[in-house]
Amino acid sequence: MQTYTPPLKDFEFILHDVLQVQSGDTPGYSDLDAEFSGAILEEAGKIARDVLMPLNAIGDTQGCTLENGVVRTPDGFKEAFDIIRDGGWTGLSADPEYGGQGMPFVLGTAVSEMSLSANQSFNMYLSLTAGAYEAIHTHGSEALKAKFLPKMVTCEWTGTMNLTEPHCGTDLGMMRSKADPVRDGTYKISGQKIFISAGEHDMVENIIHLVLAKIPGGPAGVKGISLFIVPKFLVNEDGSLGARNGVACGNLEEKMGIHGNSTCVMNYDEAEGYLVGEEHKGLRAMFTMMNAARLGVGLQGLAQASVAYQNALDYTRERLQGRDVTGAKNPTGTADPLIVHPDVRRSLMDQKSFIEGARAFLLWNATLLDAGELSDDKNAEGLLSLMTPVIKGFLTDKGFDMTVQAQQLYGGHGYIEETGASQFVRDARIAMIYEGANGIQALDLVGRKLASGGGKHVMAFFDLVKTFIKENEGDAALKADFLDPLKAASKDMQAAAMYFMSEAPKNPNAALAGSTDFMHLFGHVALGLMWARMAKVASEKLLEGTSDAAFYETKLATGRYYMARSLPETALRLARINSGAEPVMGLDAEAF
Amino acid sequence: MQTYTPPLKDFEFILHDVLQVQSGDTPGYSDLDAEFSGAILEEAGKIARDVLMPLNAIGDTQGCTLENGVVRTPDGFKEAFDIIRDGGWTGLSADPEYGGQGMPFVLGTAVSEMSLSANQSFNMYLSLTAGAYEAIHTHGSEALKAKFLPKMVTCEWTGTMNLTEPHCGTDLGMMRSKADPVRDGTYKISGQKIFISAGEHDMVENIIHLVLAKIPGGPAGVKGISLFIVPKFLVNEDGSLGARNGVACGNLEEKMGIHGNSTCVMNYDEAEGYLVGEEHKGLRAMFTMMNAARLGVGLQGLAQASVAYQNALDYTRERLQGRDVTGAKNPTGTADPLIVHPDVRRSLMDQKSFIEGARAFLLWNATLLDAGELSDDKNAEGLLSLMTPVIKGFLTDKGFDMTVQAQQLYGGHGYIEETGASQFVRDARIAMIYEGANGIQALDLVGRKLASGGGKHVMAFFDLVKTFIKENEGDAALKADFLDPLKAASKDMQAAAMYFMSEAPKNPNAALAGSTDFMHLFGHVALGLMWARMAKVASEKLLEGTSDAAFYETKLATGRYYMARSLPETALRLARINSGAEPVMGLDAEAF
């Protein structure tokens, strides 16, 4: 049976000791003292643990069903949705003008991590709504915002994103869905969209679809795409629901995982739609939503790794099998617990050191997002934009790997659905694919983000690393275990960036052949930086004297593992990057 | 829809050009000329492609069902089983004395790879039978062999292996199943076994269970385990079937994959059993079966990678999305095929270079098995025994990774069950777990095999590498691209072996902490050696002049990719190994 323990202490450590959000300049951060944020996270953790986690396996087993156009969610989902709505959790980071609580994104990120760990499929109904809210909030007219946002903030209505069509995923320029203008200023939307998460379900009275479509006569390709709101039920002037709109779920997909979320084929047949933002500028508006969504998907990688690890850890403590090679640890029992074995320990440390490093990395990025949005800090925004593909691609690749490692610790029992280890693997798998498959993230990083602003964002990242190392190199406790490996890894990353800069103008394939490697290289350096920062705080706490020495010593040991065993991967990634385009493109496409 | 193309040309290249089996000294090898083996492989390939592949997705979707003790296999399985049985395919490598065709194992390995690619779940009914046959053939009395083997060779009866119990998997010393001696020389077997593949099904008239159990009063732990034959139906003296024995399937497990194979809980209630080999020597007898089984499981890793790659490759040729960054390749179409993109190409090359290297590695090991069994070549046997955990652990870890990479190339369509990419991932996952989880393989390699015979087997491996490099270092075509990387990788492996030898006596955890890394390091060096050998043959063929230059040039380009981009992983593995026990064991078990 799957269980979940909210990582409250780790949130406190990262938010208050490492990132020190309570003393940040960003508006709203001064409220984030340990007591206030601790109270919110504790309550959110209870809901994750007690309400969402028990529904996770049920969602996987039952899945969603479509009957006569109605999608039924798994038993208990509707009741859980009511609890979360009634508790006011849906509008945590939303604009108070539309009924939100206006809290910083960094707090919402911690709350989301817990919901995602406890039940990814369920949480997607909420996070898609938040994404749709964000796009309308940023690009919609005042009238559209007033009409749709309040009920989306409360999740009386949920939202969706409609991009993909059967013949076009990444390449949205080939889109066929069309939007014919009507004299009253509305549009008639027609076409078929696929892979629409939460596209239809029975937990709310209305669903607000955000749909990309082309207005006839507009520019070809992605420059002719516009964004529309298409509600499932039309909304009258007084806010009451009117006629059913021309949109329906045509089919539910059978998927590898996230069975509790309805993945719909959506058919639009002259459905009434309202333009969001300007004509033909739809892709930019949708990307507002996709950047936040990509952070959220990176968070899914972490969240699934975290819950899979917790369950596997429990199993390695309970399952008795074999003896410690250095002497029995449970001499009166029939065998020692699995956790005594070095290769089991290696796997647990891989998982633990990734999870805690990734958590710090994500929360740091959430503070950058807050700084960009609330303080209009352009440097923070630029750095976040550079790291967004790393968060999405690296954290979901690694997050999936970690769920596989967790499953492996169960032996044969991990392959049996009963233990729940398989669900974490199957659910984690989607995060590598949606919101831009990880190869696209790598392309975005190397082909666009790296050189953006003349390379100033990546220089800012290198400066952060260099400054941290310089400021702390007198600290003997940090030097050998943390600063030296970080310096070496950062040099590998600089060498890779140099290679791209010198080779790409001559041969773009030379850079793109190494794009996935660079995304991972960057991810490791970023987690290495986070571990160095965490180690600094932990060793200061231990020097000061603390009643909780065990917590900080565990942090240091976990960080040392990451630096000694995970970070050296940067050299391998650099070697691959330096091998250039030739090995990758050496074969003609026909020769495969 | 899943498809499969038998890799006949690659088999021919490896068997006849690289391994040159036709001129080998091993008995039976002189028959293996290209015409003979080509004819067999072509026929076997047709069955894989036309009979087994079409049932693969059906098996996944329908699974097996248990009703009133009867297990029903998916639609079409029984008919396919008849076709294979009637074609005489079940006894290819079996002893002619019992109706087999006595062909070398190397040919059977190529045949199995195709069956496994086409339908792993189905093939398991056959391979379990072959394993049980092997154990009885090696350890059983003449009477038992005469009674059971002929019908197992023809697969009129299938076989199973019964080791695991609910509380004991790897640690068989805790086994509770017992075997009470009866006055007539038989035993009464009682207990519960779990995870029994092919434990019960509707395709044959009898099932021959091989069961480990303890005879009361014997030594404690694994030294008190004996091996028994327990037939589902008792067999009369005239070979006809008698009474139903006291064994039944109590439940079918819900699994992540291999749904077409019945994974049974088997309950033994005073079932009549016959001792195989000596009392209390059962584990050794079972291990005969497990070593061959481990090669077979390594083959599953390769086989799933191969079929997943083929299907993904087709998709990347057909799916139009985006444009080649260096200029449109399909200018009249709406977009270029996926295969033009460098990161897609990188993934395809990862897969292709692994698959072809692994295929050569497995077939080479099959020749070692033949040399050991048919020529009593102790050196071949020792080398094979050293490499068996590498084959099982490395090839299944990598095989699974490759199916995940293949699935990734489909984007969202890979997550939908309809395309079949998910099944390859889910089916491949089990191979990392059963027949000794991969952590156990690593332990076996580092804790036992490496030092066995005073380390002479690993020295023999190093000698093979050194000799190959020395003999060919004058060849400029090979030196920079193949020999230099192989030399560097082999040095990493030697350094790791040295580290273990110097550290393990002082601190066994220092060796075990790096055991999984060493298994992968070894695997890469082995595949590097195979690629160097293949490159040598390919460049000789090109020098000689050949009508098929494209094939050999493709081999060289694929090999160069492996050497440039996969082999450098050895340095990372060595760095991890050299970091020793401290990072891995630095945290107390309680501190996690």
Side-chain angles (χ1 to χ4, degrees):
Chain A
M1 207 186 69
Q2 300 168 338
T3 61
Y4 179 60
T5 305
L8 298 178
K9 186 147 192 176
D10 213 35
F11 284 136
E12 188 189 330
F13 170 70
I14 297 169
L15 291 175
H16 299 112
D17 294 342
V18 181
L19 300 175
Q20 304 193 346
V21 291
Q22 68 282 10
S23 29
D25 298 332
T26 306
Y29 270 41
S30 58
D31 295 338
L32 295 179
D33 58 40
E35 200 184 344
F36 174 74
S37 65
I40 300 239
L41 294 175
E42 193 180 334
E43 283 310 307
K46 279 184 194 161
I47 292 180
R49 186 190 61 201
D50 302 335
V51 178
L52 299 183
M53 183 84 251
L55 298 176
N56 195 47
I58 293 172
D60 187 54
T61 312
Q62 291 188 357
C64 296
T65 49
L66 173 68
E67 218 173 298
N68 302 324
V70 177
V71 171
R72 206 172 301 283
T73 51
D75 290 350
F77 270 43
K78 196 168 180 341
E79 292 74 10
F81 209 83
D82 288 341
I83 290 171
I84 283 165
R85 202 160 28 199
D86 295 347
W89 292 101
T90 60
L92 211 61
S93 306
D95 187 345
E97 195 179 331
Y98 301 102
Q101 300 182 47
M103 286 190 205
F105 184 70
V106 70
L107 199 62
T109 300
V111 170
S112 290
E113 187 200 311
M114 295 187 283
S115 312
L116 283 166
S117 281
N119 199 324
Q120 180 170 326
S121 294
F122 181 93
N123 193 72
M124 288 171 67
Y125 294 99
L126 303 173
S127 59
L128 268 301
T129 308
Y133 160 89
E134 192 67 31
I136 300 172
H137 188 260
T138 310
H139 300 281
S141 66
E142 291 307 320
L144 287 176
K145 289 201 269 188
K147 191 167 192 176
F148 291 102
L149 293 187
K151 298 230 170 183
M152 293 175 76
V153 167
T154 56
C155 273
E156 284 166 272
W157 303 345
T158 58
T160 71
M161 294 169 67
N162 292 241
L163 288 80
T164 305
E165 298 181 5
H167 64 291
C168 79
T170 300
D171 192 351
L172 292 170
M174 299 197 285
M175 189 173 290
R176 290 183 194 143
S177 292
K178 63 174 181 146
D180 287 312
V182 181
R183 231 175 285 169
D184 64 0
T186 66
Y187 293 78
K188 291 281 170 222
I189 315 289
S190 296
Q192 188 178 63
K193 297 287 182 178
I194 63 171
F195 303 159
I196 308 308
S197 299
E200 176 61 45
H201 61 93
D202 58 357
M203 300 192 290
V204 290
E205 54 186 19
N206 204 4
I207 298 176
I208 311 306
H209 303 289
L210 282 185
V211 184
L212 289 181
K214 287 187 162 182
I215 299 170
V222 293
K223 289 180 180 159
I225 293 175
S226 305
L227 179 64
F228 301 90
I229 288 175
V230 182
K232 175 177 166 185
F233 287 99
L234 298 178
V235 179
N236 299 323
E237 282 312 306
D238 64 356
S240 64
L241 295 187
R244 177 74 192 244
N245 204 353
V247 48
C249 171
N251 197 13
L252 285 180
E253 306 283 3
E254 294 288 336
K255 311 180 298 286
M256 184 179 182
I258 53 165
H259 295 154
N261 199 275
S262 56
T263 304
C264 302
V265 174
M266 297 302 297
N267 296 318
Y268 293 85
D269 184 12
E270 302 205 332
E272 184 168 315
Y274 318 110
L275 183 69
V276 178
E278 298 172 50
E279 286 195 349
H280 316 314
K281 297 279 169 67
L283 205 64
R284 209 176 46 119
M286 198 59 142
F287 263 90
T288 307
M289 191 161 146
M290 286 185 63
N291 275 325
R294 282 172 182 182
L295 286 188
V297 174
L299 196 60
Q300 294 178 0
L302 160 62
Q304 289 304 301
S306 174
V307 67
Y309 163 74
Q310 287 187 7
N311 282 271
L313 174 62
D314 287 347
Y315 189 80
T316 65
R317 290 192 205 276
E318 288 156 16
R319 176 79 171 175
L320 304 181
Q321 209 80 181
R323 287 291 182 194
D324 187 328
V325 69
T326 64
K329 287 288 181 294
N330 175 32
T332 58
T334 48
D336 288 339
L338 284 178
I339 197 171
V340 304
H341 302 299
D343 192 59
V344 169
R345 204 68 76 87
R346 189 253 330 140
S347 172
L348 291 172
M349 290 300 287
D350 267 353
Q351 297 171 58
K352 181 176 172 62
S353 65
F354 165 75
I355 291 161
E356 295 177 14
R359 182 173 291 135
F361 183 44
L362 268 160
L363 290 173
W364 174 44
N365 274 276
T367 64
L368 296 177
L369 194 144
D370 281 332
E373 299 219 333
L374 306 173
S375 304
D376 203 25
D377 178 341
K378 293 292 172 204
N379 289 330
E381 217 166 60
L383 195 53
L384 174 67
S385 141
L386 172 71
M387 295 195 290
T388 296
V390 180
I391 291 169
K392 197 293 184 174
F394 177 69
L395 296 188
T396 62
D397 276 358
K398 297 294 287 185
F400 173 73
D401 284 351
M402 295 303 151
T403 61
V404 173
Q405 285 215 37
Q407 181 186 32
Q408 187 71 15
L409 292 174
Y410 293 78
H413 296 270
Y415 200 67
I416 304 303
E417 293 292 355
E418 196 182 348
T419 48
S422 159
Q423 186 189 354
F424 299 135
V425 173
R426 291 183 290 97
D427 286 359
R429 184 68 184 86
I430 187 58
M432 296 160 70
I433 297 173
Y434 59 19
E435 299 302 328
N438 286 356
I440 295 296
Q441 303 299 326
L443 178 65
D444 178 44
L445 176 64
V446 168
R448 190 159 29 188
K449 299 292 177 64
L450 202 52
S452 94
K456 74 174 173 182
H457 305 308
V458 74
M459 292 310 298
F461 179 82
F462 287 135
D463 277 347
L464 278 176
V465 175
K466 250 184 267 178
T467 306
F468 182 85
I469 292 173
K470 206 165 173 191
E471 283 175 359
N472 295 286
E473 63 193 351
D475 186 341
L478 291 183
K479 184 142 189 343
D481 289 347
F482 291 92
L483 302 183
D484 290 349
L486 177 60
K487 190 186 266 182
S490 166
K491 275 192 178 162
D492 288 340
M493 183 171 156
Q494 288 175 51
M498 288 293 291
Y499 177 83
F500 290 152
M501 275 189 262
S502 69
E503 291 297 315
K506 293 175 279 181
N507 178 7
N509 284 343
L512 299 183
S515 56
T516 288
D517 289 298
F518 187 73
M519 184 174 77
H520 278 256
L521 202 175
F522 196 156
H524 278 297
V525 176
L527 262 58
L529 173 63
M530 298 320 294
W531 269 117
R533 290 178 62 179
M534 292 193 283
K536 177 185 154 79
V537 173
S539 52
E540 281 169 1
K541 292 276 178 190
L542 287 166
L543 264 182
E544 283 168 16
T546 162
S547 62
D548 201 7
F551 177 82
Y552 297 106
E553 273 162 9
T554 297
K555 272 286 164 206
L556 282 170
T558 308
R560 277 193 291 264
Y561 181 95
Y562 194 87
M563 304 311 273
R565 291 190 43 106
S566 293
L567 199 55
E569 192 178 313
T570 57
L572 171 61
R573 298 292 180 173
L574 176 61
R576 287 182 185 159
I577 289 166
N578 279 337
S579 74
E582 179 50 32
V584 171
M585 305 301 287
L587 268 192
D588 284 343
E590 297 70 34
F592 278 83
Chain B
M1 206 186 72
Q2 299 168 337
T3 62
Y4 179 62
T5 306
L8 298 177
K9 186 148 191 176
D10 213 36
F11 284 137
E12 188 188 329
F13 170 69
I14 296 169
L15 291 174
H16 300 112
D17 294 343
V18 181
L19 300 174
Q20 304 193 346
V21 291
Q22 69 281 11
S23 28
D25 298 334
T26 306
Y29 270 41
S30 58
D31 296 337
L32 294 180
D33 57 42
E35 199 185 344
F36 174 74
S37 64
I40 300 240
L41 294 176
E42 194 180 334
E43 284 309 307
K46 280 183 193 160
I47 291 179
R49 184 190 63 201
D50 302 335
V51 178
L52 299 183
M53 183 85 250
L55 297 176
N56 196 47
I58 293 172
D60 187 53
T61 313
Q62 292 189 356
C64 296
T65 49
L66 173 67
E67 218 173 298
N68 302 324
V70 177
V71 172
R72 208 171 301 283
T73 51
D75 289 350
F77 270 44
K78 196 170 181 340
E79 292 75 9
F81 209 85
D82 287 341
I83 290 171
I84 283 165
R85 202 160 29 201
D86 294 348
W89 291 102
T90 60
L92 211 62
S93 307
D95 187 345
E97 195 178 332
Y98 301 103
Q101 298 181 51
M103 286 188 205
F105 184 71
V106 70
L107 199 62
T109 299
V111 169
S112 290
E113 186 199 312
M114 295 187 283
S115 313
L116 283 166
S117 281
N119 199 323
Q120 180 170 324
S121 294
F122 181 93
N123 194 71
M124 287 170 67
Y125 294 99
L126 304 173
S127 60
L128 268 300
T129 309
Y133 159 89
E134 193 66 30
I136 299 172
H137 188 260
T138 312
H139 299 281
S141 67
E142 291 307 319
L144 287 176
K145 290 200 267 189
K147 191 167 190 176
F148 292 102
L149 292 188
K151 299 231 169 182
M152 292 175 76
V153 167
T154 57
C155 272
E156 285 165 273
W157 303 344
T158 59
T160 71
M161 294 168 66
N162 291 242
L163 289 80
T164 304
E165 299 180 5
H167 64 290
C168 78
T170 300
D171 191 350
L172 292 170
M174 298 197 284
M175 188 172 289
R176 291 183 194 145
S177 292
K178 64 175 181 146
D180 287 312
V182 182
R183 231 176 286 169
D184 64 1
T186 66
Y187 294 78
K188 291 283 170 218
I189 315 289
S190 296
Q192 188 178 64
K193 297 286 182 178
I194 63 170
F195 303 159
I196 308 309
S197 299
E200 176 61 46
H201 61 92
D202 59 356
M203 300 193 290
V204 291
E205 55 185 17
N206 203 6
I207 298 176
I208 311 305
H209 303 288
L210 283 185
V211 184
L212 290 180
K214 287 187 163 183
I215 300 170
V222 294
K223 290 183 179 154
I225 294 175
S226 305
L227 178 64
F228 300 90
I229 289 175
V230 181
K232 176 178 168 184
F233 288 99
L234 299 178
V235 179
N236 299 323
E237 281 313 305
D238 65 358
S240 63
L241 296 186
R244 177 74 191 247
N245 205 353
V247 49
C249 171
N251 197 14
L252 286 181
E253 306 282 4
E254 295 289 336
K255 310 179 299 283
M256 183 179 183
I258 52 165
H259 295 155
N261 199 274
S262 57
T263 305
C264 303
V265 174
M266 299 300 298
N267 296 319
Y268 293 86
D269 184 12
E270 302 205 333
E272 184 168 316
Y274 318 111
L275 183 70
V276 179
E278 296 172 51
E279 285 194 350
H280 316 314
K281 298 279 168 66
L283 206 63
R284 208 175 48 119
M286 199 58 141
F287 264 90
T288 307
M289 194 162 146
M290 286 186 65
N291 274 324
R294 283 173 180 180
L295 285 188
V297 175
L299 197 59
Q300 293 178 0
L302 161 63
Q304 290 303 302
S306 174
V307 68
Y309 163 75
Q310 287 187 8
N311 282 270
L313 174 62
D314 287 348
Y315 189 80
T316 65
R317 289 192 205 278
E318 289 157 15
R319 175 80 170 173
L320 304 181
Q321 209 80 180
R323 287 290 182 195
D324 187 328
V325 69
T326 63
K329 287 288 181 297
N330 175 34
T332 57
T334 48
D336 288 340
L338 284 178
I339 196 172
V340 304
H341 302 299
D343 192 60
V344 169
R345 204 68 77 86
R346 184 236 357 122
S347 171
L348 290 172
M349 290 299 288
D350 267 353
Q351 296 170 57
K352 181 175 170 66
S353 65
F354 165 75
I355 290 161
E356 295 176 14
R359 183 174 290 135
F361 183 45
L362 268 161
L363 289 173
W364 173 43
N365 274 277
T367 65
L368 295 177
L369 194 144
D370 281 332
E373 297 219 335
L374 305 172
S375 303
D376 203 24
D377 178 339
K378 292 293 171 203
N379 291 329
E381 217 166 61
L383 195 53
L384 173 67
S385 139
L386 171 71
M387 294 194 290
T388 296
V390 180
I391 292 169
K392 197 294 184 174
F394 176 70
L395 296 187
T396 61
D397 275 358
K398 297 293 288 183
F400 173 73
D401 285 350
M402 296 301 151
T403 62
V404 173
Q405 286 216 36
Q407 180 186 31
Q408 188 72 15
L409 292 173
Y410 293 78
H413 297 271
Y415 199 66
I416 304 301
E417 293 293 354
E418 196 182 348
T419 48
S422 158
Q423 186 189 353
F424 299 135
V425 173
R426 290 182 290 97
D427 285 0
R429 184 65 185 89
I430 187 58
M432 295 159 70
I433 297 173
Y434 59 18
E435 299 303 328
N438 287 356
I440 296 296
Q441 303 299 326
L443 178 66
D444 179 44
L445 176 64
V446 168
R448 190 157 31 188
K449 298 292 178 64
L450 201 53
S452 94
K456 74 175 173 181
H457 305 309
V458 74
M459 292 310 297
F461 178 83
F462 287 135
D463 277 347
L464 278 176
V465 175
K466 251 184 268 180
T467 306
F468 183 85
I469 292 173
K470 204 163 175 191
E471 282 175 1
N472 295 286
E473 63 193 349
D475 186 340
L478 291 183
K479 185 146 188 338
D481 289 346
F482 292 91
L483 302 182
D484 291 349
L486 177 60
K487 191 187 266 182
S490 165
K491 274 192 178 161
D492 288 341
M493 183 171 155
Q494 288 174 51
M498 288 294 290
Y499 177 83
F500 291 151
M501 273 187 265
S502 69
E503 292 296 315
K506 290 175 279 179
N507 178 7
N509 284 343
L512 299 183
S515 56
T516 287
D517 289 297
F518 188 72
M519 184 174 76
H520 279 256
L521 202 174
F522 197 156
H524 278 297
V525 176
L527 261 59
L529 173 63
M530 298 321 294
W531 270 117
R533 290 178 64 180
M534 291 194 282
K536 177 184 155 80
V537 172
S539 52
E540 281 170 1
K541 292 275 176 190
L542 288 167
L543 264 182
E544 282 168 17
T546 162
S547 61
D548 201 6
F551 178 83
Y552 297 107
E553 274 162 7
T554 296
K555 272 285 164 206
L556 282 170
T558 308
R560 277 194 291 264
Y561 181 94
Y562 194 87
M563 305 310 272
R565 290 191 42 105
S566 293
L567 199 55
E569 191 178 313
T570 57
L572 171 62
R573 299 292 181 174
L574 176 61
R576 288 183 184 158
I577 289 165
N578 280 337
S579 75
E582 179 51 29
V584 172
M585 305 302 286
L587 270 191
D588 285 343
E590 296 70 33
F592 277 84

